[in-house]
Amino acid sequence: MTKLLEMNHTLCFATRTRLNVAATSPFVISAGGGRGYCIKTCLPNYRFKFTCYATLSAVVKEHNTSAFDGKEAALLVDELRNNFNTGRTKSYQWRISQLQNISRMLDEKEKCITEALNQDLSKPELEAFLAEISNTKSSCTLAIKELKNWMAPETVETSVTTFPSSAQIVSEPLGVVLVISAWNFPFLLSVEPVIGAISAGNAVVLKPSEIAPATSALLAKLFSEYLDKTTIRVIEGGVPETTALLDQKWDKIFFTGGARVAGIIMAAAARNLTPVVLELGGKCPALVDSDVNLQVAARRIIAGKWACNNGQACIGVDYVITTKDFSLKLIDALKTELKTFFGETPLESKDLSRIVNSFHFKRLESMLKENGVANKIVHGGQTIEEKLKISPTIVVDVPEASSIMQEEIFGPLLPIVTVEKIEDGFQVIRSKPKPLAAYLFTNNKELQEQFVQSVSAGGISINDTVLHVTVKDLPFGGVGESGIGAYHGKFSYETFSHKKGVLYRSFSGDADLRYPPYTQKKKMVLKALLSSNIFAAIWAFFGFSQDSS
């Protein structure tokens, strides 16, 4: 049976043939002829072959060819809302059981997850474990450990105006939430927000990125196998499916991706006054002083650039700023450590991820070929288009108007900007939209303090890169154009919760001061009470003013 599938600006055919695949066999997606793909998944026991030259933005659904349209989306949301309204997801028992199931899933399916990430991005096994699986495990373990504390009402003080009384802040789930994740860390950025939504007691729909089809299909399979299908669902697909979901009324939309799509998400949410969390990105700078341990600084910059999904990371180092006098030393150190990390022929290294698809490959390639950029390459620049490989590349002092300096690079190209004094780098950073992360390498404590106080960014690391996102007591989120809202750890729980203020009073102590008729005596007493002057309040209650005494 052959079905026509819609791609991004391309049409391709999917041919389905029956396979005898064990129900427990891992999901595999492998390259077919040309740039096609063979997708095999144990769940439907079918193989689909896609031959196309564009980003996959349609999904083959299990055993059916019906499209997920607005009607299906409305039915899905209604079903989840009805199930949420039973109150089942609000209980500690439901929340903890789902979190424990996610923890079990991570332990039992680690190999499947690693294989899917490798197929989507050629992500090295250790990098996949550290960046995606381990971070997800850490978030889940923390949620399991702290859930009772997070759920407990917080007692707050009351004032004399409500005496006698008590008050609490009670967290309650928002309801039915939508999580739309990204392709660059397709497992972590899907599951971590879901952990927060479940911890807070919500019903959840996850829409994984179609640009990482192996991970997307695996998530659909695993969620169906491990989690409560009446309240937690995965919807695969591309633009039509996402559009159908966005047309619905949600209690929150959590989106990770780029600014252009974020604008579409925000406009759709505004129609229903739906709150949003937007985890975006930007041009994340690394300012490098001359007093650093050069080898360590170089290694940590590489870790936050090329060893971070080959630069395809929203918190990855986008460009480096250093002084003219120090730049050659820094470049030489980066070259040396790059050779140590990835060898003489980095395009053959198994420790570098590939570019996700041909569109992004050509986008990056065009950045390098621009006038004023191609002649500024001091390291790398090699490409293999058929393998979607670009070697770690360094360029120096390219034109400010070039694409590589105006757009988020999201790839293995690293511009180095030189300045006369290290303090001049602050103005370079401030001249651009606020980034999701900013990095400073220096031993100068005064410069560190100045950087923290004067650079606005979603998060900052001093003398390292990207590791701040692993600290679960720190919020992770953007500011300005790099995003709205934050999550990680308890911040994830709070992102998907409403903090409800509750005041408790008895029927005793009901004074008539607040009720009409309003008299001068009541006014005097109330003014004294509201200013916390108990002596004046007593004095006024007996008909005296302090002035008359």
Side-chain angles (χ1 to χ4, degrees):
M1 177 181 180
T2 301
K3 173 179 172 54
L4 191 65
L5 294 179
E6 186 179 354
M7 315 301 290
N8 282 350
H9 314 296
T10 306
L11 295 176
C12 70
F13 287 93
T15 305
R16 184 175 71 180
T17 56
R18 185 79 179 185
L19 289 177
N20 293 319
V21 182
T24 56
S25 64
F27 177 94
V28 179
I29 174 171
S30 56
R35 290 185 210 151
Y37 295 92
C38 257
I39 297 179
K40 296 177 284 184
T41 173
C42 57
L43 188 60
N45 288 349
Y46 288 108
R47 173 166 53 200
F48 300 88
K49 183 172 183 180
F50 297 87
T51 304
C52 59
Y53 297 85
T55 301
L56 184 66
S57 44
V59 64
V60 182
K61 300 177 186 296
E62 297 175 22
H63 298 294
N64 72 70
T65 58
S66 63
F68 182 85
D69 55 18
K71 183 178 180 180
E72 284 195 35
L75 290 172
L76 171 65
V77 175
D78 285 345
E79 178 187 348
L80 293 182
R81 197 171 298 283
N82 288 335
N83 292 331
F84 171 79
N85 287 337
T86 65
R88 183 167 72 256
T89 66
K90 294 183 179 182
S91 72
Y92 173 80
Q93 289 74 20
W94 181 88
R95 302 185 203 195
I96 199 69
S97 67
Q98 300 309 303
L99 294 173
Q100 288 169 342
N101 287 343
I102 291 176
S103 180
R104 183 165 58 88
M105 175 186 81
L106 293 169
D107 290 335
E108 294 175 357
K109 300 299 181 181
E110 181 179 316
K111 183 178 179 182
C112 292
I113 297 164
T114 301
E115 289 177 350
L117 292 169
N118 183 264
Q119 293 297 333
D120 282 332
L121 293 155
S122 294
K123 191 166 285 192
E125 182 177 352
L126 182 57
E127 186 180 328
F129 175 78
L130 292 175
E132 304 222 36
I133 299 171
S134 178
N135 277 332
T136 307
K137 280 184 177 181
S138 176
S139 295
C140 193
T141 300
L142 179 67
I144 291 170
K145 177 183 176 183
E146 297 293 340
L147 184 59
K148 280 188 176 179
N149 293 330
W150 294 347
M151 291 178 65
E154 177 186 351
T155 300
V156 297
E157 291 185 359
T158 58
S159 67
V160 67
T161 57
T162 62
F163 180 84
S165 66
S166 62
Q168 290 181 328
I169 299 172
V170 178
S171 294
E172 66 177 7
L174 296 174
V176 183
V177 301
L178 173 63
V179 174
I180 303 174
S181 64
W183 55 262
N184 56 330
F185 292 87
F187 190 83
L188 172 69
L189 298 180
S190 294
V191 182
E192 182 150 17
V194 169
I195 289 171
I198 290 172
S199 299
N202 297 280
V204 193
V205 172
L206 168 65
K207 166 59 184 69
S209 174
E210 71 278 10
I211 300 177
T215 307
S216 175
L218 182 62
L219 284 165
K221 175 186 180 297
L222 295 183
F223 273 42
S224 176
E225 181 180 342
Y226 283 87
L227 300 178
D228 178 7
K229 288 181 283 189
T230 67
T231 50
I232 305 168
R233 298 285 184 83
V234 175
I235 298 298
E236 295 187 86
V239 173
E241 290 78 9
T242 305
T243 302
L245 290 169
L246 290 175
D247 283 340
Q248 311 310 311
K249 167 63 179 173
W250 302 92
D251 294 296
K252 194 159 209 174
I253 298 174
F254 187 108
F255 169 75
T256 305
R260 183 185 63 81
V261 178
I264 298 171
I265 301 287
M266 205 165 183
R271 290 196 295 268
N272 291 310
L273 298 180
T274 299
V276 297
V277 172
L278 303 176
E279 295 291 340
L280 308 179
K283 295 187 72 65
C284 301
L287 183 61
V288 184
D289 199 2
S290 58
D291 67 348
V292 299
N293 181 316
L294 191 54
Q295 182 185 35
V296 173
R299 290 164 69 91
R300 290 177 180 178
I301 290 170
I302 293 170
K305 180 66 173 182
W306 296 286
C308 193
N309 202 26
N310 205 8
Q312 300 169 110
C314 56
I315 55 169
V317 177
D318 189 274
Y319 64 103
V320 167
I321 307 168
T322 193
T323 60
K324 294 183 186 297
D325 293 340
F326 189 65
S327 60
L328 291 179
K329 291 181 181 179
L330 178 59
I331 291 167
D332 286 343
L334 289 170
K335 289 179 179 180
T336 298
E337 297 306 320
L338 281 169
K339 188 181 298 184
T340 301
F341 285 14
F342 306 116
E344 296 281 354
T345 53
L347 290 177
E348 298 175 9
S349 173
K350 294 182 180 180
D351 295 321
L352 269 178
S353 301
R354 65 168 169 81
I355 307 307
V356 67
N357 58 32
S358 59
F359 170 80
H360 285 285
F361 179 92
K362 291 182 182 299
R363 177 183 62 80
L364 292 163
E365 190 177 46
S366 70
M367 282 185 175
L368 276 183
K369 290 180 178 180
E370 277 189 29
N371 289 335
V373 176
N375 63 337
K376 296 296 185 72
I377 297 174
V378 296
H379 182 78
Q382 298 83 21
T383 65
I384 304 178
E385 184 173 357
E386 57 270 24
K387 292 185 178 180
L388 300 178
K389 290 276 192 175
I390 299 177
S391 66
T393 300
I394 301 172
V395 296
V396 178
D397 286 334
V398 298
E400 179 61 28
S402 61
S403 297
I404 204 170
M405 289 306 299
Q406 292 298 312
E407 301 173 11
E408 183 177 9
I409 296 169
F410 228 70
L413 318 180
L414 181 67
I416 293 181
V417 177
T418 64
V419 292
E420 294 297 332
K421 299 182 300 180
I422 196 66
E423 291 81 5
D424 296 338
F426 287 65
Q427 183 53 40
V428 175
I429 297 170
R430 287 195 292 262
S431 70
K432 300 181 183 298
K434 297 175 181 180
L436 185 58
Y439 307 112
L440 171 67
F441 290 84
T442 184
N443 284 312
N444 186 325
K445 298 298 182 182
E446 185 177 334
L447 190 64
Q448 291 178 12
E449 183 178 349
Q450 185 182 355
F451 189 82
V452 171
Q453 294 300 321
S454 64
V455 172
S456 182
I460 285 177
S461 283
I462 304 295
N463 292 328
D464 213 325
T465 60
V466 308
L467 285 186
H468 63 287
V469 303
T470 67
V471 181
K472 296 307 178 183
D473 286 334
L474 291 177
F476 173 61
V479 58
E481 293 182 29
S482 61
I484 299 171
Y487 72 125
H488 284 190
K490 189 178 181 181
F491 299 100
S492 295
Y493 176 86
E494 292 178 344
T495 285
F496 289 102
S497 300
H498 166 62
K499 288 188 173 294
K500 182 168 57 181
V502 180
L503 176 71
Y504 295 93
R505 298 199 72 201
S506 70
F507 289 102
S508 61
D510 189 48
D512 65 354
L513 292 172
R514 60 188 288 202
Y515 305 123
Y518 303 123
T519 65
Q520 185 64 23
K521 176 182 175 181
K522 289 181 179 180
K523 177 182 176 182
M524 291 169 58
V525 173
L526 285 172
K527 286 182 70 174
L529 287 173
L530 291 172
S531 63
S532 300
N533 190 334
I534 301 299
F535 179 77
I538 296 172
W539 197 255
F541 182 78
F542 288 105
F544 301 102
S545 70
Q546 288 183 303
D547 293 338
S548 64
S549 62

